[in-house]
């Protein structure tokens, strides 16, 4: 599975352990591979993988007690509506983008979502957007990059600031329920692995890394993977050299 990032030089992004084809490619970006390609520049990335190959009961059995309870309550009492969309069109991507930018603003995070990347991924058939709605209002959005065998969470957003306590509890349940419905959705499409999109590494009392508590509640297996880049031609090597110079001068120019 590859996503074209630019035409000249030819830059493609390859996800998971799909073969990296270098013909007609100047620079290959790779994301979440089990091994870094020889000659590449890479960094490690920790994530949690949930196995979807068993029954739904098998999958939920690995969730912790609180998560199973929250999912049951959301399913039976909260009247939530789940809306998955594969290959979303530009108008829906813009709706998601506006919601996510507001989510970042409410958290005081200065960041930007690359909307052109989302549109390109959708055109490549790799992007999925899913939402949970309550009384006609979206409570939570998720975005995913998905191949035939693996779905990876890219973004998760909800609007909590200013909400009443009861609504905050509802959104918390909706978020857990959302992940469960996403797992069912992708499992129904033959996907075997649900990737929770990375975990930060808080430290325990002994200074050892531990899992993100929310994501760990779904019982995934923690793995260390690789992402980075490699030149596939002389033009690609020149492009990466120029980009490294720009990055030293100003990180904002490195894209």
């Amino acid at each position: 599975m590859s996503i074209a990032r630019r035409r000249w030089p030819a830059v493609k992004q390859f996800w998971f352990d799909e073969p990296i084809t270098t013909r007609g490619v100047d620079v290959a970006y790779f994301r979440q591979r089990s091994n870094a390609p020889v000659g590449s520049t890479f960094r490690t990335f920790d994530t949690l993988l949930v196995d979807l190959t068993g029954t739904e009961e098998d999958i939920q059995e690995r969730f912790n007690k609180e998560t199973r309870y929250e999912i049951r309550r959301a399913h039976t009492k909260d009247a939530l509506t789940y809306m998955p969309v594969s290959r979303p069109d530009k108008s829906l991507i813009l709706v998601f983008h506006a919601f996510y930018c507001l989510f970042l603003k409410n958290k005081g995070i200065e960041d930007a979502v690359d909307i052109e990347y989302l549109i390109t991924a959708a055109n490549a058939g790799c992007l999925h957007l899913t939402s949970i709605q309550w009384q006609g209002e979206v409570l939570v959005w998720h975005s995913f990059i998905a191949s035939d065998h693996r779905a990876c969470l890219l973004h998760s957003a909800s609007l909590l600031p200013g909400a009443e306590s009861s609504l905050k509890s509802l959104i918390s349940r909706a978020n857990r329920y959302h992940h469960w419905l996403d797992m069912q959705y992708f499992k129904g499409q033959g996907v075997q692995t649900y990737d929770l999109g990375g975990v930060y590494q808080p430290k325990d009392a002994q200074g050892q890394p531990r899992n993100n508590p929310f994501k760990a509640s779904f019982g995934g297996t923690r793995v260390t993977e690789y992402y980075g880049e490699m030149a596939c031609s002389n033009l690609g090597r020149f492009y990466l050299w120029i980009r490294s110079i720009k990055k030293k001068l100003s990180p904002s120019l490195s894209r």
Side-chain angles (χ1 to χ4, degrees), residues 134 139 159-160 162-173:
W134 180 69
L139 297 181
L159 300 184
L160 280 173
E164 296 180 357
S165 177
S166 60
L167 183 56
K168 288 182 179 180
S169 296
L170 172 63
I171 293 174
S172 177
R173 291 193 299 273

Side-chain angles (χ1 to χ4, degrees), residues 48-50 59-60 62-64 67 71 175-180 183 194 196 213-221:
L48 289 167
L49 305 181
V50 177
I59 298 168
Q60 276 211 12
R62 295 190 289 270
F63 298 174
N64 70 18
T67 293
I71 289 170
N175 205 0
R176 284 180 165 84
Y177 188 46
H178 195 171
H179 279 288
W180 172 235
M183 291 179 196
Y194 185 86
L196 282 155
F214 174 80
K215 292 185 176 182
S217 73
F218 294 95
T221 300

Side-chain angles (χ1 to χ4, degrees), residues 66-86:
E66 179 186 3
T67 293
R68 290 196 300 270
Y69 169 77
E70 295 278 75
I71 289 170
R72 285 196 304 271
R73 181 170 176 180
H75 178 69
T76 58
K77 296 185 177 181
D78 289 337
L80 300 170
T81 302
Y82 177 65
M83 299 291 292
V85 180
S86 61

Side-chain angles (χ1 to χ4, degrees), residues 6 19 25 28 57 59 65 77 82 89 97 145 150 166 170 174-175 180 182 205 207-208 224 226 243:
R6 59 186 298 159
V25 176
E57 291 76 15
I59 298 168
K65 184 178 179 180
K77 296 185 177 181
Y82 177 65
D89 61 22
H97 181 260
I145 290 291
R150 179 168 169 178
S166 60
L170 172 63
N175 205 0
W180 172 235
D182 284 336
Q208 297 299 312
T224 298
Y226 299 86
R243 202 189 65 160

Side-chain angles (χ1 to χ4, degrees), residues 67-126:
T67 293
R68 290 196 300 270
Y69 169 77
E70 295 278 75
I71 289 170
R72 285 196 304 271
R73 181 170 176 180
H75 178 69
T76 58
K77 296 185 177 181
D78 289 337
L80 300 170
T81 302
Y82 177 65
M83 299 291 292
V85 180
S86 61
R87 300 192 70 163
D89 61 22
K90 185 176 180 179
S91 62
L92 185 61
I93 293 173
L94 289 172
V95 171
F96 163 78
H97 181 260
F99 187 98
Y100 193 77
C101 287
L102 182 57
F103 165 75
L104 293 179
K105 181 180 179 181
N106 287 339
K107 292 180 73 68
I109 299 174
E110 294 185 6
D111 199 357
V113 180
D114 188 347
I115 191 168
E116 292 303 322
Y117 174 74
L118 296 179
I119 293 171
T120 300
N123 291 337
C126 305

